[in-house]
Amino acid sequence: MINLLRSLFGRYRSVLSIKDIALLIYSNIFNNTTYDVTQFVSFILGFDTMRIFGVALVYVFYTSSSMMRFFSGVVIDVLGREKRVLAMSNTLMSVSYVTAFLIIIMMGINSLSLILVLIIIMLGMSVYSAMGVIRSALIKDLLYNDNEKITLYTSLNNALRSLISITAIVISGYLLYLNIDIAKYLILASALLSMVALIPLTLMRHHGRVTDRPSTQVLRQGFVKFIKLVKNNVDFRVVILIMVIAYLLIISLDVLDYSILSIYYNIALLAGVDRVFGTVGAVIGSMLTPRFRVNKLGTIIVLMVIALIVGLGFGIVPMTIKIMIIAVPTLFMLNFIYNIPINAFFTAMGSMLIYATPRGEFGIVYSSMWTILTVSQILSSIIWAFIGTVVGAPEALLIAMSMGIAIFLILNTVYGKVSYPAF
């Protein structure tokens, strides 16, 4: 294991030696902490009020995150200068979290304030998501579209994000366990961290691409370019198709997973422990991605199938084991194992998306797919929350994962031999 880590970080040095990339990673660290704390606080507040529908409500509001990824493409193409847009986005994110803090201070924690705070917090998370698209555009430039370095950057960034998430969730989970009112101070801390994240951005030398002719018509033009790419570029079409299906499936699993856990408890500390197991698995999965030497799409699809097969335990364990002292630790361990292949899958797919999207059309074309993902997210949250309420969350999870396994086996039959020599 030590040799594996030494080997991986030895390869990461080729990425970290680029100053602007290193500064982006430093900025990501603060923003990722902000995101993890506020997302976790939102879920706990959802638990505290409406259980399964509280979790579904979080995801419905969370769709604004997908829409902002779409509009970030418009922002890039209209304004250019990605560095400037990143700084403006960080500022807006800080303001949104300060506003959420003030609402809780004035109204306290109740159903009405929860809805208002969720709207404001999801605006901040939406800005965070938009920044991800903008950073990807900069990365494509800074790494000269070097496929190996893009994969290494994606792997390192995801691994660091998961490590940060462990710390953030343990601390915030423990504090929420002591007193749910501490939620407002965690939101304030997120606002301060997002302000600190501005410092590395100001030190960057590369400002990003400037569009030749900024125009508000870019929205329509972007859709036209996106459709042409889907029609004419088989590789791009395959990646988009698989990402849409995976995204729809994972949102449904998240809603049901949190709902199953809420059957056994609604204590923030225990929910935090579950997230820790998941993020440790995410660290390992992200760091292992460069080791897979992916050259065929089938390798990545197999990772998703493995994850879904392991994840079936999320439904089977609660249905067969009724003793909390056995069921809950088993769920934690399954979550840990499940997250290794699932995060390897998304890490590899993420680097493929950055590499496969043309730089000149990166902004709007890359982010246009999020309109599809947004619709998937809304439908998935509502439909699976309803199904979970009618048949029970464990049974619904079994149905969702079985469907997922069947779909990805079909995709593997059709596209598994599609070769990506760059990966």
Side-chain angles (χ1 to χ4, degrees):
M1 188 65 182
I2 294 175
N3 290 333
L4 170 63
L5 292 176
R6 186 182 296 118
S7 170
L8 282 173
F9 278 104
R11 297 175 67 189
Y12 291 142
R13 288 195 192 99
S14 64
V15 171
L16 291 171
S17 62
I18 302 172
K19 182 181 177 182
D20 283 348
I21 287 290
L23 288 171
L24 270 179
I25 291 175
Y26 299 149
S27 179
N28 290 350
I29 289 173
F30 293 106
N31 281 323
N32 290 343
T33 305
T34 297
Y35 179 85
D36 288 325
V37 171
T38 49
Q39 184 191 49
F40 182 68
V41 169
S42 299
F43 279 123
I44 296 304
L45 291 177
F47 279 151
D48 200 53
T49 54
M50 291 171 278
R51 292 294 181 90
I52 186 169
F53 280 107
V55 178
L57 179 65
V58 170
Y59 272 104
V60 170
F61 282 126
Y62 192 57
T63 56
S64 60
S65 173
S66 296
M67 285 304 295
M68 282 299 288
R69 296 191 192 198
F70 166 68
F71 285 113
S72 66
V74 179
V75 170
I76 292 174
D77 283 346
V78 171
L79 299 179
R81 293 293 187 186
E82 287 95 345
K83 176 183 172 181
R84 181 192 307 148
V85 178
L86 281 177
M88 293 168 60
S89 300
N90 250 118
T91 303
L92 179 58
M93 190 163 61
S94 301
V95 171
S96 67
Y97 292 146
V98 170
T99 304
F101 167 72
L102 293 175
I103 288 175
I104 294 182
I105 285 289
M106 292 184 292
M107 297 182 62
I109 297 176
N110 52 59
S111 295
L112 177 59
S113 67
L114 170 65
I115 293 175
L116 293 175
V117 166
L118 279 178
I119 293 173
I120 300 297
I121 286 179
M122 294 311 160
L123 172 63
M125 290 186 176
S126 300
V127 174
Y128 171 90
S129 298
M131 291 169 67
V133 176
I134 298 166
R135 280 193 294 265
S136 296
L138 277 173
I139 290 160
K140 196 174 181 75
D141 269 355
L142 292 168
L143 297 180
Y144 302 103
N145 205 33
D146 184 312
N147 44 342
E148 183 179 0
K149 287 186 177 180
I150 289 173
T151 303
L152 286 171
Y153 168 84
T154 308
S155 174
L156 176 61
N157 189 60
N158 289 349
L160 287 175
R161 175 177 174 178
S162 301
L163 284 169
I164 292 165
S165 182
I166 293 172
T167 305
I169 291 167
V170 169
I171 294 175
S172 57
Y174 179 70
L175 292 175
L176 288 170
Y177 172 70
L178 294 177
N179 191 343
I180 194 70
D181 288 331
I182 291 176
K184 55 179 173 284
Y185 298 110
L186 291 172
I187 294 173
L188 177 62
S190 296
L192 297 175
L193 285 169
S194 60
M195 293 177 190
V196 174
L198 281 166
I199 298 173
L201 293 177
T202 61
L203 300 175
M204 288 180 59
R205 293 182 180 179
H206 185 72
H207 290 270
R209 176 176 63 93
V210 180
T211 54
D212 295 330
R213 294 179 182 179
S215 170
T216 54
Q217 294 296 317
V218 73
L219 183 63
R220 180 181 60 82
Q221 295 167 1
F223 271 119
V224 172
K225 292 176 182 178
F226 178 75
I227 292 170
K228 283 183 178 178
L229 263 180
V230 171
K231 286 182 177 180
N232 302 327
N233 189 323
V234 177
D235 289 349
F236 186 80
R237 181 167 66 245
V238 171
V239 171
I240 294 298
L241 173 65
I242 291 174
M243 284 294 286
V244 168
I245 294 173
Y247 197 75
L248 188 154
L249 178 65
I250 295 303
I251 292 298
S252 66
L253 299 183
D254 279 351
V255 172
L256 296 170
D257 180 27
Y258 277 106
S259 302
I260 289 172
L261 294 174
S262 70
I263 292 172
Y264 292 96
Y265 55 80
N266 60 359
I267 301 173
L269 179 61
L270 290 179
V273 173
D274 172 69
R275 287 291 300 274
V276 168
F277 272 78
T279 48
V280 171
V283 173
I284 298 173
S286 297
M287 294 189 69
L288 286 176
T289 306
R291 305 281 298 188
F292 290 129
R293 299 288 186 183
V294 178
N295 57 9
K296 287 186 179 179
L297 195 57
T299 306
I300 300 177
I301 295 177
V302 167
L303 290 173
M304 175 62 91
V305 174
I306 291 172
L308 293 174
I309 291 173
V310 173
L312 280 171
F314 285 130
I316 294 172
V317 170
M319 290 171 65
T320 57
I321 303 175
K322 303 301 182 183
I323 304 173
M324 179 178 174
I325 197 171
I326 299 175
V328 172
T330 306
L331 281 169
F332 289 161
M333 187 55 63
L334 284 169
N335 195 8
F336 166 71
I337 299 171
Y338 165 79
N339 268 278
I340 294 175
I342 203 74
N343 280 276
F345 170 87
F346 278 110
T347 299
M349 291 300 297
S351 60
M352 278 188 178
L353 271 174
I354 296 173
Y355 178 78
T357 307
R359 177 61 181 101
E361 303 170 343
F362 191 91
I364 188 65
V365 171
Y366 179 85
S367 55
S368 289
M369 69 171 181
W370 292 102
T371 54
I372 303 172
L373 297 183
T374 299
V375 174
S376 301
Q377 189 166 318
I378 294 173
L379 292 176
S380 183
S381 298
I382 295 174
I383 292 172
W384 286 104
F386 175 76
I387 294 174
T389 303
V390 174
V391 304
E395 291 85 348
L397 191 64
L398 286 173
I399 296 171
M401 286 193 165
S402 299
M403 288 173 55
I405 291 172
I407 291 170
F408 276 97
L409 285 175
I410 293 171
L411 287 173
N412 194 47
T413 301
V414 178
Y415 297 115
K417 295 182 180 180
V418 174
S419 180
Y420 284 88
F423 297 91

